Amino acid sequence: MIVRRFLSLLLISAFLLLPVGAGQALALSNLTVTPTETQTISDNSTFVEGSNRYGYLTIESVAFSLSGTDAEVTVEYEITPWIAFLVFLFGKQDLKNRVLSVIGYPETGKADQVVTFTYVDNDRAVITVKNAVVDYKDGSYWYPMHEFGTVIPTLTFVVGPEDTKIYNNTQSMPKGFGYFQ
């Protein structure tokens, strides 16, 4: 009887704290980070602690593996510990939405971009994005300008077996880049 009462009180307190925690997460999700003039923070500049947070997610790295017009995106992150319990309890849909907000896909106005989760857990998500890259039909491609939802500490683009581009502390790629495959 005492154990049942204790579990009931624990669940009730968890549900009562949920709206407070969700409000704090929403407040943090509207956090804006003003990029520098080049919109890419170089290795020798100071990284502002916490600027890589998006609500209850702390982003560690994002890696794009580009193949044709498609991209496989791996997002490494940490979840606030007590939120991890709520993700387990209520499902991963909010986590998926936050990860999509961080990577900025599907982009507004691009109906041909299809985003599919291939894996998601409490510290990593793998996403496939169809039509993330522009194909010039001659073996040359263009990864267009892109905005991320927060600062990405380590942003990696694997273009080919011997071509990798690494950016540090990036929130915006105003120019994009071209490459051959």
Side-chain angles (χ1 to χ4, degrees):
M1 183 72 157
I2 295 174
V3 172
R4 184 181 292 169
R5 181 175 288 171
F6 176 74
L7 288 175
S8 297
L9 289 174
L10 182 65
L11 284 174
I12 289 170
S13 64
F15 284 117
L16 291 175
L17 291 175
L18 180 63
V20 173
Q24 290 173 346
L26 278 174
L28 288 175
S29 70
N30 292 329
L31 179 68
T32 56
V33 177
T34 308
T36 60
E37 284 185 20
T38 61
Q39 297 187 349
T40 301
I41 303 171
S42 64
D43 287 331
N44 57 5
S45 62
T46 304
F47 179 69
V48 178
E49 185 65 34
S51 63
N52 61 331
R53 288 188 53 87
Y54 189 85
Y56 56 78
L57 293 179
T58 302
I59 306 302
E60 295 171 355
S61 68
V62 176
F64 284 77
S65 179
L66 303 175
S67 176
T69 60
D70 300 339
E72 182 179 81
V73 185
T74 303
V75 183
E76 302 278 342
Y77 50 81
E78 289 182 14
I79 297 178
T80 305
W82 69 273
I83 295 289
F85 172 72
L86 295 176
V87 169
F88 171 75
L89 195 61
F90 296 115
K92 297 181 181 178
Q93 191 57 49
D94 184 62
L95 175 60
K96 290 179 179 180
N97 291 340
R98 287 184 186 271
V99 169
L100 289 178
S101 295
V102 165
I103 65 168
Y105 286 104
E107 294 175 299
T108 306
K110 294 189 177 180
D112 61 340
Q113 280 187 348
V114 178
V115 177
T116 308
F117 277 87
T118 56
Y119 180 81
V120 63
D121 68 6
N122 284 349
D123 56 6
R124 180 171 66 102
V126 180
I127 304 156
T128 302
V129 181
K130 300 279 186 196
N131 300 313
V133 177
V134 177
D135 183 1
Y136 289 117
K137 308 288 186 208
D138 61 354
S140 64
Y141 298 89
W142 182 259
Y143 182 82
M145 171 243 157
H146 191 73
E147 295 279 333
F148 296 97
T150 189
V151 173
I152 310 297
T154 304
L155 176 62
T156 306
F157 289 91
V158 178
V159 177
E162 297 179 12
D163 191 10
T164 301
K165 298 179 183 309
I166 299 174
Y167 300 90
N168 293 312
N169 304 328
T170 305
Q171 183 175 8
S172 176
M173 296 185 62
K175 298 180 182 178
F177 60 87
Y179 60 96
F180 296 96
Q181 275 189 341

